[in-house]
Amino acid sequence: MSSTALAPAISPSTVAVPRRARRGPGFALVAPSVAVLLVWMIVPLVLTLWFSLQRYNLIDPTQHGFAGIDNYTYLVTDPDFWASLINTLVLVGSVLVITVGLGTLLAVLFDQDFPGKSVARLLAISPFFVMPTVAALIWKNLLMHPIYGVFGGVARSVGLAPIDWFAQFPMASVIAIVSWEWLPFAILILLTAVQSLDHEQREAARMDGAGPIASFVFITLPHLRRAIGVVIMIETIYLLTVFAEIFVTTSGGPGNATTNLAFLIYARALLQYDVGGASAGGVIAIILANIVALFLVRSVARRLVV
Amino acid sequence: MRASMAQRVIIAVLGWAVGLLLFFPIAWMLLTSFKTEGAAITPSPVFGPTLASYAEVFARADYLRFALNSVIISLGGTLLALALAIPAAYSMAFHPSPRTRGTLLWMLSTKMLPPVGVLVPIYLIFRSLGLLDTRSGLLIIYALMNLPIVVWMLFTFYKDVPHEILEAGRMDGATTWGEMVYLLMPLTLPGVASTGLLSLILCWNEAFWSLNLTSSSAAPLTAFIASFSSPEGLFFAKLSAASTMAVAPILVFGWLSQRQLVRGLTFGAVK
Amino acid sequence: MAAQRHLFLCLAATGLIGACCAAVSAKADTTLTIATVNNGDMVVMQKLSSQFEQQHPDIHLRWVVLEENVLRQRVTTDIATGAGQFDVTTVGNYEVPIWAKQGWLMPFDNLPSSYDVDDLLAPVRKGLTYNGKLYGLPFYAESAMTYYRTDLFQKAGIKMPAAPTYQQIREYADKITDKSNQIYGMCLRGKPGWGENMAYVTSLVNAFGGQWFGTGWKTTINTPPWHKAIGYYDGILKADGPPGATSNGFNENLALFGSGHCGMWIDATVAGGLLFNKSQSSVADKVGFAPMPTAADPNAPTWLWSWNLAIPTSSKQKAAATQFVTWATSKDYIGLVAKANGWVSVPPGTRQSTYSNPAYQQVAPFANFVLNAINVSHIDGPTANPRPYTGAQFVAIPEFQGIGTQVGQTVAGTLTGQTTLDQALASAQSATARTMHQAGYPKQ
């Protein structure tokens, strides 16, 4: 029985259920979690839906009454709305590609034996422990600032003009920061998967004459498919609502270059305490997230299931 | 490993380069925490070190209280999530029903609601329940926030456990509870531990609910950081000091437990 | 069984004693929860508040210190839902009239004569008054002025006039810019935000004869004065401004000026004390001060911001809170700060007595500039055309936070060349008009 890594079972269970399995405990054990989650989700969800259909502003009592879908149309017809959707998807997609791609390669690297590898591994994992706000502040002011940041200093010392990252490449800069934060997570999960790869299989492949690249592509990668699926699913959930990094660095600008859906909701609704608008934005975000999840499950995850 | 000497050198260099590169911003932050405010905004690595920023940070805020709150809330939230999730994941992995997949997906989708959209309803609920500015209120929220992820990750770890072992246990007359505690737990401890670690880190760094639902009693380290960021005036040395102190506990804990995890994380090595 | 009964009696006794103690202490002691921003002056207030606790042993203070944006959201959510988590809150003069209108703040009706409420500077006090009542007590106030490097001006042979115009400023900036040596003639706020770049841009627009809204709340962004103002702003920053301008807010520019990279800087007067501080600024002995430049409308509203202490009506300890608030904004408190940290660190901009004090004048050469700037800030004054709103560098309506941030993003886009000036103003106009319409303006 070869070892397997994490296996997101998206399809109906493929494990053979023994004839004499008791079905009794199933419901009783799941019930508390589900019930708790139900209450936790239903109540705010219902309230959010309710508020989204109202005109309700915390500091402007002249706005009241039933709004119908007015809050929704207001948000959807915002000139920055579609740009924010595209930015959200670009941000999520880019960070996924970077973290999963680099993460796989680095996981294989850190699986190798070299002196001090545990220390090097720990260093590589550390960005995940830093608060996003702090990470963004450090990157923006101490590293990327063209005048008093480290990158600017290094550029000047070799005679180059420092790059104004957040003006010239705002989205790329934000993507870089978020990728730095999430790469350790990908490395960690993928590393544990790589380490569970059966060494015998690898030895056998090598003896058959497979070079390192072929071994990587035909043995390691398939084995990592399920771990990659886990990383993608979890990261997507968090990346869809990236907010702190954008708020600290670019405030959604210049223009709407780095405005994603979460920031748009903040800037249009929450800043003015428009609870109705913010709730409508929340519902739209859920719809977007479910569409993305559906797409992921259909295309990526399906191929990850054995 | 029969890699050549050159290969081994390259691998070592690469491994260290990556580690150092990824760690560099944190190292720079650590460096900055020992600078004066004036020196903190220059890119120079050479400076006269001082502990003034740490002194000021300690003098201004009660670090220990914030740290204790963070520890209690993160640990409590993680334990509560695990307590709810383990039975659920067990049931879904070993007694699946046609509804299992739907339930899993539904659980994940509950995480899609952005917190900004739901701030006011939750605030109102907490106000009526008297949970504002309490540690228990915050750890309940955290447990619920992380529950879908914890259930899901445990579920995938449990799917790896070969059925034969549990079958054998069952035939020996083990009850459901016995199965869970005496058979499953030892087998999947690394997986449970890594899930717990993930949940711990997510709770530790969560900066929306922790700022909006607490004021003075239950405020964790994220509020501590927010009291040092972006005032009117230079603040980078102090912020670096404050965030070093905020990151240190979780970083040390993560490093220590990581050693434990990786040593035992060869799951499926059950034959 | 006897042991159990014993145990029960012990527990009951403990409980009873505990309850008595709790009851007794609950009657005597009050705890105030104070929400404040993390600016330097508030940090000093927190340190010195131990003296207040000594004078009032039955009042305990608990502090919630947060960064401005977080604090604003936190406190607004709490006050709007009446949750009562805070007894004293630090608010700006932007919020005070808005919240007072909602009935969220307690008016200060019976201030003792020793408090000398008439000593408060008139424009500051006016900004905190609603329907004739005072709803916030000012902790410190700031206007804006021009900072410049005396050594660079001397080297270029320029003398800063007593009342510079924006045209002159542009000439000077062009003369002293030396990009190869990282000296930038003009540093201005560029980071998007209603309180960041739009604070400066609003006063710039006012100076050029423009305004946000005309009679009937008609949005007046796509107008010639805005064109001239934003054109000026883009022009001077592109020619003489530092790189990274769109990420630079107050703090970043403070860092730039303090480390010697800026030739001139127009921003809040509170920077004066910070630039004078040798531990934070390497140009402490080379800083000159001048009033904010003028343009087409020399009497336009300029800039007035005050951080104030207010008491939410949802607080349950109003009496104790009033005691604290009057203590922290009193003359005695200012004297206390002077004794502890020197006169140069006292909270500026609130009381005439501070400015009449020769000790203060001696250590703060910028003091008179600040006083004058506050006195000509004209927050209620007219813009070139009649306007339905008050506020100098902001518009005193709740929707301004969102509008200001959105327009701020667009203005930042003109700096990086993402949009042209015409496109930007057109989209800012339509976006603002849309928001105002959604919010129900003009209101009946």
Side-chain angles (χ1 to χ4, degrees), chain A residues 56 58-59 270 273 275, chain B residues 116 118-124 127 132 208-209 211-213, chain C residues 69-86 99 104 314:
Chain A
Y56 175 25
L58 275 184
I59 53 179
L270 212 72
Y273 308 104
V275 178
Chain B
V116 284
V118 84
L119 171 62
V120 175
I122 297 284
Y123 201 85
L124 290 171
R127 182 191 60 160
L132 282 175
F208 183 79
W209 295 116
L211 289 176
N212 279 297
L213 294 176
Chain C
N69 296 300
V70 175
L71 184 83
R72 187 173 284 123
Q73 188 197 316
R74 176 78 188 88
V75 172
T76 306
T77 312
D78 186 80
I79 292 191
T81 53
Q85 290 267 301
F86 303 106
W99 291 7
W104 289 353
S314 52

Side-chain angles (χ1 to χ4, degrees), chain C residues 160-175:
Chain C
M160 177 67 89
T165 65
Y166 270 112
Q167 196 177 3
Q168 289 171 314
I169 294 286
R170 174 66 195 264
E171 288 167 18
Y172 303 155
D174 289 338
K175 279 206 192 113

Side-chain angles (χ1 to χ4, degrees), chain A residues 59 61 74 77 156 164 254-255, chain C residues 102 104 182 244 248 409 418 434:
Chain A
I59 53 179
Y74 179 66
T77 54
R156 270 191 302 272
D164 187 355
Chain C
Q102 304 276 65
W104 289 353
Q182 288 191 294
N248 291 340
Q409 274 176 265
Q418 263 210 342
R434 189 169 170 267

Side-chain angles (χ1 to χ4, degrees), chain A residues 55-63 70-71 73-80 140-141 145-148 156 164 166-167 170 247-257 259 263 266-268 270-274, chain C residues 67 69 72-73 76-77 80-81 98-99 102 104 182 184 191-192 194 242-248 251-252 255-256 261 398-403 405-406 409-410 412-413 416 418 431 434-435 438-441 443:
Chain A
R55 289 172 60 76
Y56 175 25
N57 187 312
L58 275 184
I59 53 179
D60 191 359
T62 63
Q63 299 192 41
D70 192 41
N71 287 321
T73 49
Y74 179 66
L75 210 59
V76 170
T77 54
D78 189 298
D80 291 331
K140 178 188 168 203
N141 284 293
H145 197 276
I147 299 191
Y148 48 76
R156 270 191 302 272
D164 187 355
F166 289 107
F247 178 70
V248 165
T249 56
T250 57
S251 287
N256 57 14
T259 302
F263 192 83
Y266 167 79
R268 299 291 174 268
L270 212 72
L271 256 191
Q272 358 196 44
Y273 308 104
D274 178 4
Chain C
E67 176 256 300
N69 296 300
R72 187 173 284 123
Q73 188 197 316
T76 306
T77 312
T81 53
I98 296 175
W99 291 7
Q102 304 276 65
W104 289 353
Q182 288 191 294
Y184 305 98
K191 183 174 174 203
W194 70 276
T246 51
S247 330
N248 291 340
N251 280 328
E252 289 79 4
L256 285 175
H261 294 291
E399 291 75 15
F400 184 68
Q401 282 188 86
I403 293 175
T405 299
Q406 190 171 6
Q409 274 176 265
T410 316
T416 59
Q418 263 210 342
R434 189 169 170 267
T435 308
Q438 175 80 352
Y441 284 85
K443 297 193 189 276

Side-chain angles (χ1 to χ4, degrees), chain C residues 1-18:
Chain C
M1 289 301 126
Q4 272 193 334
R5 212 182 310 140
H6 272 258
L7 187 62
F8 174 71
L9 282 174
C10 285
L11 283 174
T14 317
L16 209 59
I17 296 174

Side-chain angles (χ1 to χ4, degrees), chain B residues 42-106:
Chain B
T42 61
S44 147
V46 178
F47 60 95
T50 164
L51 281 179
S53 304
Y54 282 97
E56 224 178 299
V57 166
F58 261 114
R60 206 208 283 187
D62 188 3
Y63 170 72
L64 286 176
R65 181 171 55 95
F66 287 103
L68 190 67
N69 282 340
S70 270
V71 169
I72 292 178
I73 293 170
S74 305
L75 263 181
T78 300
L79 288 174
L80 183 58
L82 282 175
L84 288 172
I86 289 179
Y90 168 82
S91 157
M92 283 196 241
F94 300 111
H95 305 277
S97 75
R99 273 205 223 103
T100 302
R101 170 191 177 185
T103 313
L104 261 178
L105 282 179
W106 174 78

Side-chain angles (χ1 to χ4, degrees), chain A residues 81-107:
Chain A
F81 179 70
W82 292 104
S84 75
L85 284 185
I86 293 175
N87 284 335
T88 309
L89 295 173
V90 165
L91 181 63
V92 173
S94 312
V95 176
L96 278 180
V97 164
I98 293 176
T99 51
V100 171
L102 258 187
T104 313
L105 295 173
L106 293 180

Side-chain angles (χ1 to χ4, degrees), chain A residues 19-55:
Chain A
R19 295 265 158 100
R20 292 196 293 138
R22 292 168 289 184
R23 257 175 259 148
F27 179 71
L29 290 177
V30 177
S33 280
V34 173
V36 156
L37 262 184
L38 211 69
V39 169
W40 158 241
M41 279 319 299
I42 293 293
V43 173
L45 195 62
V46 165
L47 276 175
T48 300
L49 277 169
W50 169 249
F51 283 139
S52 73
L53 299 172
Q54 305 287 313
R55 289 172 60 76

